[in-house]
Amino acid sequence: MLVSDSQFGFRKCRNTTGAINRLMEDLYINFNSSKITQGIFLDFSKAFDTIDHDILIQKLTFYNFTDNSKDFIKCYLSNRKQFVQINHANSSFLTLKKVYPKDRS
């Protein structure tokens, strides 16, 4: 499966309410079974706007992220479009042309 069933953002018929419901169900089931529950919640929508992408990839390598994880983020960062909005005025879109080689670093 390309996209995890646990991903709710940017998927048809999925929303934050569904994510919260899933979390609450898991917490309830695990609590009643005396199990520990951990969660990771990521919002990539603005996360990469203010950091140096090359440094990010270096840090992921340093912290032993898998090649698949790094490739996923590199793909996300490549050929992104962005614009600036101030009040109700929008700039034109700018395509960020950074393309990461498949170097397995």
Side-chain angles (χ1 to χ4, degrees):
M1 175 185 299
L2 181 61
V3 178
S4 169
D5 190 49
S6 298
Q7 179 179 337
F8 284 81
F10 307 105
R11 293 185 67 192
K12 188 175 183 179
C13 299
R14 295 284 182 110
N15 55 38
T16 54
T17 303
I20 292 169
N21 285 338
R22 168 82 60 84
L23 171 65
M24 295 306 295
E25 289 173 13
D26 290 346
L27 288 171
Y28 179 77
I29 290 168
N30 290 342
F31 179 77
N32 286 327
S33 301
S34 298
K35 294 181 180 176
I36 295 172
T37 304
Q38 295 178 328
I40 297 174
F41 304 90
L42 304 172
D43 179 2
F44 289 132
S45 61
K46 299 270 184 204
F48 301 108
D49 292 348
T50 60
I51 61 171
D52 183 296
H53 298 167
D54 292 321
I55 293 173
L56 171 65
I57 300 304
Q58 290 173 9
K59 287 187 177 191
L60 294 176
T61 301
F62 178 80
Y63 288 110
N64 296 317
F65 275 65
T66 65
D67 289 336
N68 285 340
S69 297
K70 290 186 293 184
D71 288 345
F72 175 80
I73 291 177
K74 287 177 184 179
C75 180
Y76 180 80
L77 296 174
S78 296
N79 295 312
R80 290 177 44 91
K81 293 185 181 214
Q82 70 178 31
F83 73 99
V84 175
Q85 180 179 44
I86 300 174
N87 295 326
H88 298 289
N90 296 337
S91 70
S92 58
F93 278 91
L94 173 68
T95 301
L96 304 176
K97 293 289 186 181
K98 178 75 176 183
V99 176
Y100 292 89
K102 293 284 266 183
D103 59 358
R104 296 292 189 207
S105 60

